[in-house]
Amino acid sequence: MSDFLSNFNGDNYDRRKQEKEPREPKKEAPKKVKQEVSSEKQEKAPEPKLRSRNKTNEATIEIDPSYKKQKRKKRRWVILGAIAAVLALGVFYYQQTHVKVPNFIGKNLSDLQVWASENKIKTKIKESYDLAKDANTILAQKQKSGSRIKKGGILNVTNSLGADPKEKIPLPDFMQMNKQQVERWIKEKKADNLSLIEEYSDTIEKGRPIRFEIANAEVTPENYRRKDSAKVYFSKGKQTYQKDIKVPNFLRKPRSEVETWAKNNEINMTYEEKTSNDIPVDSIMEQSIAKDEKIAKKEKMKVTVSLGKGYVVPNFSEYNLDDASSALEGVQIQAKGIYTENLPYGQLVSQSEEAGKVLSAKDNLTIKVLYSLGQPYMKDLRGTMVEGGLQKYFHDEFQSKGANINYVIRRVDSDQPKGTVVGMSHFSDYVPLNLTVSIDISLGNLGSAPTSFPNNTNGENTGVGNEANGGNQGTPSE
C-alpha cells in the first residue's frame, strides 16, 4: 500500500503522469548551418534558434540578431535596384531620343546629309567661298563633336563653295609650259574651267603645247576670271595605227565606191585621172596597193580614175587650112586664116591646144587653129563698089581676118552715079595691118571731075573726108 500511495506524492505523481501521457518528441534547438556560397551570391540569413524550457512546459522562440540585419540589407539592395532600373530606363530613353554628333569638319557635305537623314536631324547650312577647301567640304560646325543632339533638332554647319569663280587670276604664258606645269597651276589656282585637251600632232613633240583658246573673245589673259572657259591643247605626238584594214579590188569599180571606203576607214586617198579607151568614165583603172593587202588608218593610197576616151591633139602645121577641120574626129576644130606681116601664106600661126596633149570629156573639146593669109591686099574699088557695100567688104576682107583696116568717106561731085566709089587713097597694092583708107563717094553731079588720090604705099592718108564736105568714117564690124 505504501508503495501504491507513494506513486501519488508530488514528485512521483508528476513522473507517473508523464509516463502515462504519450510522450512528445523532444524538440531540439535548430542548429546553425553554415552554407558555402560563391562569391557572387549572398550568404543566407540563419534561421532563429528555438529553445525549450521544460520547467514551465512552454516553448520560447528566440530570433537571431543577424537575421534582422540581413533583412535590412536585402531591403536596401531592392531599393538600390529599383533606382538603378529607373536610371537605366532614363538613360535608355535619352539614348533613343538623342544622337551623338560626329566630327564633320573636313568631310564631304553628302556625308553629313546621309547621317542627318538616318538620324532624323535637320541641318542648317551656311555657305562660304574657300580657296583651300574643295566645294562641298564642311568648314565648321556649331555643335561640338561628341556632344548629343535631340532627334528633330538642327545641326548648324558651314559648307565650302570652293574657290570664288569671280576672282581674277592672270594667266601665265601656257605656250612656254609643259603639260605637268599647267596641271600644277590649275590645281594651285583652282582654275577648273581651264581644260587640257590632247590631240595628235606630226610636228610638235609629245607633252608640248599646240595652242591656247579662250571661249569668250572679250576675255584676255590679263582679265581672266576663274569662271571663264579656256582650253590648252597639248600634243600627243604622232598617231600610229595598226595595219588591220583589208584593201578591196577596186578595178573597174566606180570612183564613188572608193571615196566612200576611204572616208569610212580614214584612208588618205589620192585620185589621179587618165584617159582610157577600155575603162568607162569615172571607173578605177589602177590602185597603188594591191587587193587583200592590209593598211592602217591615215595611210596614203592612190587610185587612177578613167576619163574615158582620150583625144591626142595633132600638130596642125602638118595640115592646111582646108584640111584642118577634119584632122581629129570627136573634137571640133575651128580653123581660120588671118593676115600677117611676116609669115607666108598657109603657114600655121597658132593652135589653142599644144600638139600631143590628150583631151578628154572633162576638157573643152574645141580647138582653134589659125593659118597665115600673108599680107593684106587692097583691091581697086573705084567704079565697081558702091557705098552700101563698103562695111561688109572691109569686115569680111580685113577685120574678120585680123587686119585693123578701116576707111573714111568724103563726098565729091562726079559724073559717076551717086554713091559710087570714085576715089581711094590706097588701091591695087599690099597694105599694112593697121591702116585707114580714104574713099571718095560720088554725089552724081554731071560735069564735075572727081578728085583723085595718088597711090600711097606707105599707108598715109592724103585725102580724108570732113563734115563740111560730107565726109563719113566707115564703122568696122567685129
Side-chain angles (χ1 to χ4, degrees), residues 15 66 114 153 203 252 319 351 367 403 442:
R15 180 171 52 81
S66 63
V114 171
T203 57
R252 291 184 175 271
Y319 297 82
Q351 58 185 77
I367 302 176
S442 172

Side-chain angles (χ1 to χ4, degrees), residues 140-153:
Q141 63 185 63
K142 186 175 181 181
Q143 288 82 354
K144 294 182 178 180
S145 63
S147 63
R148 290 189 172 270
I149 184 172
K150 188 176 182 180
K151 292 186 176 181

Side-chain angles (χ1 to χ4, degrees), residues 375-431:
Q375 190 174 358
Y377 182 83
M378 180 65 65
K379 295 180 180 179
D380 186 358
L381 304 178
R382 294 175 300 174
T384 61
M385 180 71 67
V386 295
E387 181 180 2
L390 291 176
Q391 289 187 9
K392 184 177 185 307
Y393 173 79
F394 275 85
H395 174 269
D396 294 345
E397 186 66 26
F398 302 112
Q399 295 160 3
S400 65
K401 298 175 182 179
N404 185 27
I405 298 176
N406 300 301
Y407 65 93
V408 292
I409 292 175
R410 185 179 68 168
R411 302 186 186 279
V412 297
D413 294 328
S414 172
D415 58 356
Q416 298 294 320
K418 182 178 180 180
T420 302
V421 176
V422 293
M424 298 177 64
S425 60
H426 297 79
F427 60 90
S428 299
D429 199 2
Y430 290 99
V431 294

Side-chain angles (χ1 to χ4, degrees), residues 176-424:
Q176 301 300 322
M177 302 168 66
N178 58 36
K179 185 180 177 183
Q180 291 72 22
Q181 291 172 331
V182 177
E183 287 175 341
R184 287 196 296 268
W185 184 89
I186 291 175
K187 185 177 181 180
E188 177 185 346
K189 299 296 183 179
K190 298 296 178 72
D192 296 331
N193 284 330
L194 183 64
S195 304
L196 302 185
I197 300 177
E198 291 185 316
E199 62 182 30
Y200 290 104
S201 174
D202 294 335
T203 57
I204 299 178
E205 180 185 353
K206 182 179 179 180
R208 299 302 302 173
I210 299 175
R211 63 186 182 277
F212 171 64
E213 296 176 354
I214 300 178
N216 189 344
E218 297 180 356
V219 178
T220 65
E222 290 72 29
N223 62 10
Y224 176 85
R225 293 178 296 179
R226 192 174 279 109
K227 69 176 184 178
D228 295 324
S229 297
K231 297 177 181 179
V232 183
Y233 291 83
F234 283 90
S235 172
K236 294 170 65 176
K238 292 183 179 181
Q239 188 175 14
T240 58
Y241 298 98
Q242 185 178 358
K243 291 190 174 185
D244 56 359
I245 302 172
K246 190 175 181 180
V247 178
N249 181 15
F250 291 118
L251 186 62
R252 291 184 175 271
K253 297 293 179 63
R255 174 173 176 163
S256 58
E257 183 175 325
V258 179
E259 291 173 339
T260 301
W261 179 84
K263 181 179 180 181
N264 292 339
N265 293 281
E266 300 181 38
I267 303 300
N268 187 4
M269 186 67 71
T270 302
Y271 300 91
E272 184 179 89
E273 295 178 325
K274 287 184 179 180
T275 58
S276 173
N277 295 330
D278 300 324
I279 306 299
V281 177
D282 279 339
S283 296
I284 305 304
M285 299 171 55
E286 300 173 358
Q287 59 189 75
S288 61
I289 300 177
K291 69 172 184 175
D292 297 334
E293 287 192 20
K294 291 187 177 181
I295 60 176
K297 285 184 178 180
K298 306 298 182 182
E299 191 169 338
K300 293 182 179 181
M301 181 176 173
K302 182 177 72 173
V303 292
T304 304
V305 183
S306 172
L307 292 174
K309 184 178 180 181
Y311 303 92
V312 181
V313 178
N315 184 355
F316 284 96
S317 64
E318 300 174 358
Y319 297 82
N320 57 42
L321 180 59
D322 296 331
D323 298 335
S325 299
S326 58
L328 184 59
E329 184 180 355
V331 177
Q332 183 181 5
I333 309 298
Q334 296 179 349
K336 180 182 177 181
I338 62 170
Y339 289 113
T340 62
E341 290 183 338
N342 301 318
L343 296 178
Y345 179 89
Q347 184 172 331
L348 178 68
V349 177
S350 66
Q351 58 185 77
S352 59
E353 301 291 347
E354 64 177 317
K357 181 178 180 180
V358 180
L359 301 180
S360 67
K362 182 179 179 181
D363 300 311
N364 180 13
L365 297 178
T366 301
I367 302 176
K368 295 181 179 181
V369 183
L370 299 178
Y371 288 93
S372 174
L373 296 176
Q375 190 174 358
Y377 182 83
M378 180 65 65
K379 295 180 180 179
D380 186 358
L381 304 178
R382 294 175 300 174
T384 61
M385 180 71 67
V386 295
E387 181 180 2
L390 291 176
Q391 289 187 9
K392 184 177 185 307
Y393 173 79
F394 275 85
H395 174 269
D396 294 345
E397 186 66 26
F398 302 112
Q399 295 160 3
S400 65
K401 298 175 182 179
N404 185 27
I405 298 176
N406 300 301
Y407 65 93
V408 292
I409 292 175
R410 185 179 68 168
R411 302 186 186 279
V412 297
D413 294 328
S414 172
D415 58 356
Q416 298 294 320
K418 182 178 180 180
T420 302
V421 176
V422 293
M424 298 177 64

